[in-house]
Amino acid sequence: MTTVDMWFDPKCPWAWIASRWLLEVERVREVEVRFRVMSLAVLNEGREGLEEWYVEWLAQAWGPARVALAVERKYGAAATRDLYTALGTRIHHDRTPPGRDLYLAALTEAGLPAEFADAAETAELDGELEAANRAALGPVGEDLGTPAIHVHGPDGTVNAFFGPVVSPIPRGEDAGRLWDGVLLVTGVDGFFELKRSRTRPPITR
């Protein structure tokens, strides 16, 4: 069984697609995924030259990441997985804007205490979000973001990379073949980048 850590920002549609892809991979490969929280708001804090729409987008990203991290710190990977699904379904399928109503509904669905919604309004965990970003992006590149994926080898090595950025979500054996290919190219020493222009928006279902 291969353990995979995927760092996500709850508001990022590309991370959501990658996370649903990894759940498909679990069904067709010997893989166990642990979802871990990072923050694009933290990553971009203080950066100049960002487009106005993205500045507004980032302002709404603090709350979901703080709530998710509070749950991860208290209850661990299994609870984080359930909360991410509850948050992500509302954010990326239902287009529910971040706010207390979103957090309470997602926490209730995940069977978690409502008090975690309070984390959205405080900077108390922001230092830990910064540490989570360092853990996620240290082996990948600080100029990248989410999804950041770490694949743990049986010898203790870690194959870490950003992506894949894919739309729509690969399903079934298609998901497995993409996984095989991603591992193949990222496992090559000295491999850094393979990219082409996006021709479609994130398809999150």
Side-chain angles (χ1 to χ4, degrees), residues 53-70:
W53 73 266
Y54 193 50
V55 172
E56 295 175 1
W57 188 96
L58 289 168
Q60 292 188 332
W62 286 100
R66 287 166 170 167
V67 172
L69 185 67

Side-chain angles (χ1 to χ4, degrees), residues 4 37 88 100 110 113 117 125 148 160 177 179 200:
V4 177
V37 184
R100 190 168 182 84
L125 290 177
R177 284 194 294 269
W179 175 252
R200 64 184 66 159

Side-chain angles (χ1 to χ4, degrees), residues 70-204:
V71 168
E72 181 184 343
R73 290 295 183 262
K74 179 70 174 181
Y75 290 112
T80 305
R81 173 189 287 234
D82 291 342
L83 180 62
Y84 184 24
T85 293
L87 283 171
T89 299
R90 288 166 172 79
I91 293 170
H92 302 295
H93 292 184
D94 303 335
R95 309 301 179 190
T96 304
R100 190 168 182 84
D101 289 345
L102 167 67
Y103 311 139
L104 290 174
L107 289 163
T108 298
E109 181 181 319
L112 294 163
E115 65 195 49
F116 282 105
D118 297 339
E121 304 302 327
T122 174
E124 183 178 342
L125 290 177
D126 289 0
E128 292 191 51
L129 279 175
E130 292 178 11
N133 279 20
R134 289 193 296 271
L137 300 179
V140 178
E142 296 292 338
D143 57 330
L144 299 173
T146 179
I149 295 176
H150 296 191
V151 183
H152 300 271
D155 59 354
T157 59
V158 177
N159 176 9
F161 50 88
F162 165 79
V165 175
V166 59
S167 180
I169 302 163
R171 304 288 185 182
E173 186 56 27
D174 286 343
R177 284 194 294 269
L178 177 58
W179 175 252
D180 297 339
V182 167
L183 289 188
L184 178 64
V185 297
T186 59
V188 174
D189 182 45
F191 175 83
F192 297 112
E193 188 170 354
L194 179 68
K195 190 171 184 178
R196 57 187 173 191
S197 297
R198 299 176 196 165
T199 59
R200 64 184 66 159
I203 302 170
T204 56

